[in-house]
């Protein structure tokens, strides 16, 4: 007691000092003792000290444990041991779980560690689902997702389906879709049921660049057990989009196929496809009735990019970019020597390249994607020598907006090209200001001129053109001045992406993005891109915004950024080849036969 009384004054004084210093409460964790606690529990279990439960498997093996540990870590055992029926038991039978697997899982409960191998992963996953060990289930799913290949994806899919393992089922189905061409070559494909084949080939999102591959896999599957499967052939052919296969292939390979020739219903599908090709070739402007058998699959969607030739000779060429496979295929060069302002797609198969430079600023070239041989050809020139202008398409008409004339001021005029008469016409009304390098977007049948540059500053203002009234109207301005922004429209929202903020002395590249909602008539900010991008090209695809290329003020960028509006996140992918510049981009429905350079157009 004397010693306590002797210390008390010092203790009181120390409290005052700590309080005057503003000392805050601090929380400490002794992780060493925590780890040692679980190690000691595991040792007690191994030595069967204080164990109050024995788990017996069907093969007679016994695994000892402590109820309180199992109850605290495992919902399955919590339900078992806290019930009146199981609380007093000393020996419990655990059926449907291998003794070695059970030992691994009990070790995991005590240590938090488990070794997953190719040999034990299925057994561990099955047992983890039964015992409701979500962490173990998750690591097994992750392990199997990394092991997916064409020979095991079907087995993994069936396992996941049986045990209602949603993430693994989704991953295996996605693998089969993306590797369809390789999957149909393995024996597992031939073992599929009729219903499974229908479910696979009827999907819109399987990765198959050539529809004839679907036809071939159907024939192979039927021939594998011909006597039992032949009657299913018409129902299978109903899901083959034969109209998308080249006419020559149909004539040589489908018409003469014995299984088809001897089946009247299948012959009807062949004739339908041949009629489709005949009508498309003879009447290019006709709109064909759309059916499942002439609708391109989603993986047939490709971007058509206009790119600068790295030779430095001023030539441009077009390339196809497949976002599913991330492959780039180079096609025809253009005739004109220019830097492209943009590409415009009319009637699903006519692509117009609008270029500018100091000598050929009115030049326009056209590419007809429905022809057997792709070739750029000159078409009607613009009326005004525009440089650095914006391009938009509204109601199958091409608009050239703003720009400048060499040696003259910035242009506040625009002109429109009517493809049906092959003529340009000046729009009678003018924008409120001249705009060099404006972004151009189309939303709700209105044309928007976004930002741009008027000496000496880049612009925040935005104007809207209504073709039914032939008038330009100022709308809400952006929060940031933007010269040469990329413009994308997705789900009724217009995005102004990147560009640069410029005055008479400096230019600052932008990674910021703004979104315009016409209902609210306001611009709002969304998360920044990873990189500053001036004059990027923007494409919408499967509910995502693809922002391609651009330059950062000093170099051209060979990367793609993808915005997911649902997650509000950007991801970045490398471009498949280093480029000297991307000057225009489109999303096209159809597919390009890279061997024969044949484009199959949307109906």
């Amino acid at each position: 007691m004397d010693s306590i009384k002797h210390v008390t004054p010092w203790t009181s004084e120390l409290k005052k000092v700590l309080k005057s210093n503003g000392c805050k409460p601090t929380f400490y964790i002794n992780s060493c003792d925590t780890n040692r606690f679980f190690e000691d529990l595991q040792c007690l279990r191994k030595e069967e000290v204080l164990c109050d439960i024995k788990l017996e498997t069907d093969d007679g093996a016994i695994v000892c444990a402590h109820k309180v540990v199992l109850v605290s870590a495992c919902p399955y055992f919590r339900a078992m041991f806290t019930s009146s029926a199981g609380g007093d038991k000393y020996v419990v039978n655990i059926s449907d779980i291998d003794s070695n697997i059970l030992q691994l899982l009990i070790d995991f409960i005590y240590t938090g560690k488990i070794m997953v191998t190719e040999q034990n992963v299925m057994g561990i996953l099955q047992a983890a689902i039964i015992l409701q060990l979500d962490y173990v289930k998750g690591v097994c799913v992750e392990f199997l997702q990394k092991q997916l290949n064409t020979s095991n994806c079907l087995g993994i899919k069936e396992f996941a389906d049986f045990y209602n393992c949603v993430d693994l089922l989704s991953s295996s189905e996605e693998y089969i879709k993306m590797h369809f061409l390789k999957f149909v070559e393995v024996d597992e494909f031939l073992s599929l049921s009729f219903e499974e084949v229908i479910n696979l080939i009827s999907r819109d999102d399987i990765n198959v660049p050539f529809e004839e591959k679907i036809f071939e896999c159907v024939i192979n599957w039927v021939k594998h057990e011909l006597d039992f499967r032949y009657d299913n052939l018409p129902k299978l052919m109903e899901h083959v989009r034969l109209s998308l296969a080249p006419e020559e292939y149909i004539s040589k390979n489908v018409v003469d196929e014995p299984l088809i020739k001897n089946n009247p219903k299948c012959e009807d599908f062949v004739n339908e496809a041949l009629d489709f090709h005949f009508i498309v070739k003879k009447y290019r402007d006709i709109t064909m009735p759309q059916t499942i058998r002439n609708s391109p699959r989603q993986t047939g969607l490709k971007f058509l990019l206009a790119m600068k030739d790295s030779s430095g000779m001023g030539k441009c060429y077009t390339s196809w970019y497949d976002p599913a496979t991330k492959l780039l295929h180079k096609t025809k060069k253009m005739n004109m020597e220019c830097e492209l302002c943009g590409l415009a797609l009319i009637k699903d198969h006519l692509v117009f390249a609008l270029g500018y430079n100091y000598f050929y600023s009115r030049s326009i070239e056209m590419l007809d994607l429905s022809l057997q041989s792709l070739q750029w050809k000159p078409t009607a020139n613009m009326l005004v020598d525009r440089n650095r202008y914006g391009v938009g398409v509204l109601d199958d008409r091409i608009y050239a907006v703003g720009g400048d004339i060499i040696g003259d001021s910035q242009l506040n005029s625009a002109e429109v090209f009517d493809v049906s008469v092959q003529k340009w016409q000046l729009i009678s009304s003018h924008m409120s200001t001249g705009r060099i390098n404006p972004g151009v977007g189309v939303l709700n049948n209105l044309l928007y001129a976004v930002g741009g540059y008027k000496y000496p500053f880049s612009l925040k203002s935005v104007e809207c053109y209504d073709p039914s009234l032939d008038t330009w109207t100022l709308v809400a301005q952006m929060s940031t001045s933007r010269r040469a922004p990329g413009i994308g429209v997705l789900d009724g929202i217009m995005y102004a992406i990147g560009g640069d903020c410029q005055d008479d002395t400096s230019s600052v590249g932008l990674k910021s993005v703004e979104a315009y909602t016409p209902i609210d008539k306001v611009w709002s900010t969304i998360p920044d891109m990873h990189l500053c991008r001036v004059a990027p090209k923007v494409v919408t695809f499967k509910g995502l915004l693809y922002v391609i290329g651009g330059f950062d003020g000093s170099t051209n960028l060979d990367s793609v950024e993808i915005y997911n509006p649902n997650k509000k996140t950007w991801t970045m992918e490398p471009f498949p080849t280093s480029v000297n510049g991307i000057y225009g981009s489109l999303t096209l429905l159809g597919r390009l036969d890279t061997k024969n350079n044949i484009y199959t157009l949307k109906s």
Side-chain angles (χ1 to χ4, degrees):
M1 293 292 293
D2 291 339
S3 62
I4 293 176
K5 291 180 181 178
H6 180 71
V7 172
T8 299
W10 290 99
T11 304
S12 177
E13 189 66 28
L14 181 58
K15 287 181 178 179
K16 292 180 182 179
V17 171
L18 292 174
K19 185 175 182 181
S20 66
N21 289 340
C23 186
K24 297 180 179 179
T26 305
F27 188 75
Y28 296 94
I29 299 176
N30 187 343
S31 58
C32 294
D33 273 3
T34 302
N35 294 334
R36 188 169 65 245
F37 171 76
F38 283 105
E39 290 173 1
D40 289 345
L41 279 176
Q42 176 73 333
C43 289
L44 290 173
R45 187 179 75 85
K46 294 286 188 182
E47 297 171 5
E48 299 187 19
V49 176
L50 300 178
C51 290
D52 53 359
I53 189 66
K54 290 185 177 182
L55 307 175
E56 184 177 7
T57 58
D58 290 339
D59 59 1
I62 298 291
V63 180
C64 294
H66 304 90
K67 283 185 181 180
V68 67
V69 176
L70 300 186
V71 167
S72 66
C74 178
Y76 177 88
F77 289 121
R78 185 181 305 123
M80 176 184 291
F81 297 137
T82 55
S83 68
S84 58
D88 297 331
K89 288 185 177 180
Y90 182 61
V91 179
V92 174
N93 179 257
I94 304 296
S95 58
D96 298 325
I97 298 180
D98 178 80
S99 58
N100 294 323
I101 298 297
L102 181 63
Q103 182 68 60
L104 286 173
L105 291 176
I106 300 302
D107 285 344
F108 166 78
I109 288 174
Y110 277 79
T111 66
K113 302 175 183 178
I114 190 165
M115 175 68 75
V116 180
T117 69
E118 291 183 11
Q119 289 73 33
N120 68 19
V121 61
M122 294 301 227
I124 292 177
L125 178 54
Q126 179 182 355
I129 292 172
I130 294 172
L131 299 181
Q132 302 170 51
L133 293 172
D134 290 341
Y135 177 83
V136 178
K137 175 184 174 182
V139 298
C140 288
V141 167
E142 182 181 343
F143 183 90
L144 287 171
Q145 286 171 335
K146 293 178 180 178
Q147 304 301 316
L148 280 168
N149 58 50
T150 52
S151 61
N152 68 21
C153 57
L154 182 61
I156 291 176
K157 173 182 173 296
E158 291 173 346
F159 177 90
D161 191 24
F162 182 81
Y163 285 100
N164 195 29
C165 196
V166 178
D167 290 343
L168 186 58
L169 178 63
S170 176
S171 298
S172 56
E173 287 179 340
E174 189 65 26
Y175 185 91
I176 291 172
K177 289 188 300 183
M178 291 306 298
H179 300 83
F180 176 82
L181 293 182
K182 290 184 178 180
F183 173 67
V184 297
E185 293 177 355
V186 300
D187 293 339
E188 282 75 7
F189 169 74
L190 297 176
S191 68
L192 291 179
S193 68
F194 164 69
E195 291 77 15
E196 288 173 322
V197 176
I198 285 283
N199 180 60
L200 184 58
I201 67 171
S202 64
R203 299 187 69 111
D204 204 38
D205 54 354
I206 55 173
N207 184 27
V208 53
F210 311 122
E211 194 66 22
E212 48 268 37
K213 297 298 182 182
I214 300 288
F215 169 76
E216 291 168 4
C217 80
V218 164
I219 296 298
N220 290 338
W221 183 86
V222 171
K223 287 182 176 179
H224 184 66
E225 294 182 357
L226 185 58
D227 292 341
F228 300 102
R229 297 177 174 180
Y230 178 73
D231 290 342
N232 292 321
L233 183 58
K235 294 179 181 178
L236 291 168
M237 287 297 297
E238 191 173 344
H239 297 279
V240 178
R241 306 182 187 189
L242 206 54
S243 299
L244 303 182
E247 182 181 12
E248 183 180 0
Y249 177 87
I250 299 172
S251 300
K252 288 184 176 180
N253 300 86
V254 183
V255 172
D256 293 332
E257 167 57 49
L259 296 184
I260 299 295
K261 290 174 67 174
N262 297 324
N263 193 308
K265 182 61 177 175
C266 291
E267 282 193 313
D268 289 343
F269 293 136
V270 176
N271 293 331
E272 176 190 61
L274 292 173
D275 289 344
F276 176 87
H277 280 279
F278 174 78
I279 294 173
V280 168
K281 284 169 63 176
K282 189 171 183 179
Y283 308 103
R284 297 196 183 281
D285 295 331
I286 194 172
T287 300
M288 292 285 291
Q290 192 158 1
T291 70
I292 190 63
R293 289 184 296 282
N294 61 31
S295 299
R297 300 179 192 270
Q298 287 183 18
T299 50
L301 288 168
K302 292 181 175 62
F303 304 160
L304 183 64
L305 307 176
M307 309 173 75
K308 189 73 173 291
D309 196 320
S310 59
S311 66
M313 300 301 292
K315 291 286 186 180
C316 293
Y317 62 92
T318 46
S319 288
W320 294 87
Y321 176 66
D322 187 338
T325 61
K326 298 179 177 58
L327 296 178
L328 189 71
H329 175 69
K330 190 173 179 179
T331 61
K332 294 291 184 180
K333 281 189 177 181
M334 298 175 189
N335 299 303
M336 57 184 178
E337 296 182 4
C338 65
E339 293 188 354
L340 286 177
C341 178
L343 296 178
L345 176 65
I346 303 293
K347 296 185 181 298
D348 293 322
H349 67 99
L350 299 176
V351 179
F352 292 83
L354 293 82
Y356 60 75
N357 60 27
Y358 291 119
F359 305 103
Y360 299 95
S361 52
R362 298 187 187 186
S363 299
I364 312 293
E365 292 193 9
M366 184 186 76
L367 184 69
D368 188 342
L369 297 173
S370 67
L371 298 178
Q372 290 285 320
S373 178
L374 299 182
Q375 189 70 44
W376 285 98
K377 295 181 179 180
T379 186
N381 289 344
M382 289 192 296
L383 302 175
V384 178
D385 290 323
R386 297 176 188 274
N387 289 278
R388 298 180 289 178
Y389 53 93
V391 175
V393 176
L394 176 59
D395 292 332
D396 278 344
R397 288 177 170 83
I398 303 171
Y399 289 80
V401 180
D404 66 335
I405 297 177
I406 298 161
D408 204 341
S409 59
Q410 297 86 357
L411 295 169
N412 64 351
S413 66
E415 54 189 292
V416 59
F417 179 73
D418 188 336
V419 68
S420 62
V421 295
Q422 294 284 305
K423 286 185 179 181
W424 287 90
Q425 180 181 351
L426 284 169
I427 293 174
S428 58
S429 62
H430 290 72
M431 294 182 289
S432 64
T433 184
R435 298 177 186 273
I436 299 175
N437 290 132
V440 175
V442 174
L443 179 61
N444 296 339
N445 295 316
L446 300 173
L447 188 83
Y448 289 82
V450 181
Y453 174 80
K454 184 178 181 182
Y455 181 80
F457 302 110
S458 52
L459 302 169
K460 293 182 180 179
S461 63
V462 180
E463 301 191 50
C464 172
Y465 177 70
D466 186 338
S468 65
L469 302 175
D470 191 28
T471 56
W472 287 95
T473 305
L474 283 166
V475 297
Q477 68 178 16
M478 297 178 290
S479 62
T480 303
S481 300
R482 298 177 188 274
R483 181 188 70 91
I487 304 295
V489 176
L490 179 62
D491 295 332
I493 297 175
M494 182 166 62
Y495 296 83
I497 301 169
D500 63 1
C501 187
Q502 186 173 4
D503 57 29
D504 57 346
T505 60
S506 64
S507 174
V508 178
L510 301 171
K511 63 175 68 173
S512 63
V513 183
E514 300 182 52
Y516 179 75
T517 307
I519 296 177
D520 301 325
K521 299 182 179 179
V522 294
W523 290 89
S524 58
T525 59
I526 68 170
D528 290 354
M529 295 182 291
H530 295 86
L531 301 176
C532 297
R533 294 180 184 270
V534 183
K537 301 307 172 185
V538 184
V539 179
T540 59
F541 180 70
K542 288 188 177 180
L544 304 174
L545 281 174
Y546 281 69
V547 181
I548 305 172
F551 64 95
D552 61 5
S554 58
T555 58
N556 291 313
L557 299 171
D558 54 359
S559 60
V560 179
E561 296 201 44
I562 304 167
Y563 180 66
N564 186 325
N566 296 322
K567 298 180 180 179
K568 294 181 171 53
T569 55
W570 289 95
T571 56
M572 191 157 66
E573 295 179 353
F575 207 65
T577 183
S578 179
V579 297
N580 194 36
I582 303 171
Y583 295 91
S585 56
L586 291 168
T587 300
L588 298 179
L589 290 174
R591 70 95 195 267
L592 179 72
D593 183 334
T594 55
K595 181 178 180 181
N596 300 312
N597 224 27
I598 299 171
Y599 174 82
T600 304
L601 69 159
K602 175 187 174 185
S603 61

